[in-house]
Amino acid sequence: MLTVDDLSAGYGPVRALDGVSLTAARGEITAVLGANGAGKTTLLRTISGLVRARSGTVTLDGRVLTGVPTENLPRLGLAHVPEGRGVLAELTVEENLRLGALGARRRLSAGDLARIYELFPPLAERRTRLAHVLSGGERQMLVIGRALLSRPKVLLLDEPSLGLAPRIVVQIFELLRGLVRDDGLTVVLVEQNARSALSIADHGVVLNLGKVVVRDTAATLAGDDGLRHAYLGF
Ligand code: ATP
């Protein structure tokens, strides 16, 4: 279980996170929602040490992650897929995937790659192609596949749906649901697209101006008209 306790962080005078607490249970998807600038990306960046926590702690299965160098986190079971789908365009799809295991200093078995190709058939078809030929949806699959090759307990995913066709979003979200169900993966999903995120999440937290406004089951959040209008935009 990932636990975030009273976490604060910012940029110079900007206080982007102000005492945020949440838990993401094993085998669940926790959606982090809220308007532009609410602090969602900063939350993920602070959990993975890219932004320094000013106070508060992050623990994974009881182990304190706060203060651990970012590059050591994959080995401890934390994978972060930032927004923007960054891939190395001049490497092949398979070379990009291998980087996921390298980051966690894991040896890849043939079975590891086969599993990713089974999960993401379009990547299997393009395994020897350069990553720059991929569509947006395929790139999203590649960055998720690469993160999975570090064998994470917890996957932090920032805006995976941004700019993708609704059909592709459904495909990627169904896949995440499967990983959570079959592998006990824990997912923290940051999304602007609150409606889609709540349709696959178990729980959700809504941020506003760096603070948690509400946390509840995804079904309860999705059914709260006032909350939807005020913070979720649907
Ligand atoms: P978005 O969906 O637009 O990414 P968000 O909810 O992820 O929004 P953050 O990107 O975490 O929000 O931003 C939280 C606050 O921190 C905002 O006020 C934002 O302007 C500010 N901020 C974010 N990144 C920086 C930065 N690198 N330097 C200064 N301020 C920043």
Side-chain angles (χ1 to χ4, degrees):
M1 175 159 83
L2 182 79
T3 307
V4 172
D5 187 30
D6 204 16
L7 199 64
S8 295
Y11 309 91
V14 177
R15 191 157 200 187
L17 280 188
D18 189 0
V20 168
S21 298
L22 64 88
T23 56
R26 182 178 145 79
E28 288 198 356
I29 298 177
T30 301
V32 178
L33 309 170
N36 268 334
K40 305 179 299 296
T41 292
T42 303
L43 174 63
L44 295 194
R45 290 174 59 82
T46 310
I47 292 172
S48 64
L50 294 166
V51 169
R52 193 181 56 81
R54 289 183 178 167
S55 61
T57 52
V58 178
T59 56
L60 175 54
D61 292 341
R63 173 166 190 154
V64 177
L65 300 186
T66 333
V68 173
T70 301
E71 63 271 21
N72 293 345
L73 292 175
R75 261 192 307 164
L76 299 178
L78 188 84
H80 182 182
V81 179
E83 52 189 332
R85 309 186 187 119
V87 298
L88 292 175
E90 298 307 321
L91 295 185
T92 66
V93 165
E94 186 151 315
E95 286 164 346
N96 270 279
L97 285 173
R98 287 179 179 280
L99 291 175
L102 201 67
R105 289 172 231 171
R106 282 193 59 239
R107 282 184 87 81
L108 263 190
S109 69
D112 290 331
L113 280 171
R115 168 103 206 289
I116 297 299
Y117 290 138
E118 193 184 315
L119 286 168
F120 303 101
L123 298 184
E125 284 166 32
R126 292 166 183 69
R127 62 197 290 174
T128 59
R129 306 288 303 278
L130 296 182
H132 77 78
V133 306
L134 299 182
S135 67
E138 291 161 354
R139 271 184 185 232
Q140 190 60 53
M141 293 176 193
L142 179 55
V143 291
I144 294 174
R146 186 174 63 192
L148 292 175
L149 283 170
S150 70
R151 288 263 178 95
K153 295 182 195 167
V154 175
L155 183 64
L156 309 176
L157 261 181
D158 200 348
E159 301 273 6
S161 80
L162 201 68
L164 298 183
R167 181 177 54 84
I168 306 292
V169 174
V170 169
Q171 203 183 337
I172 288 175
F173 279 10
E174 279 178 356
L175 205 133
L176 282 177
R177 203 57 259 169
L179 285 167
V180 163
R181 184 190 54 231
D182 300 340
D183 296 5
L185 184 68
T186 300
V187 175
V188 180
L189 174 66
V190 159
E191 267 294 342
Q192 287 278 334
N193 185 345
R195 185 201 296 266
S196 296
L198 288 174
S199 74
I200 60 152
D202 300 284
H203 288 91
V205 297
V206 179
L207 295 184
N208 187 46
L209 299 174
K211 290 184 196 287
V212 175
V213 185
V214 60
R215 75 187 91 240
D216 214 321
T217 62
T220 303
L221 295 177
D224 184 333
D225 290 344
L227 184 82
R228 286 198 286 122
H229 295 146
Y231 297 109
L232 303 182
F234 76 96

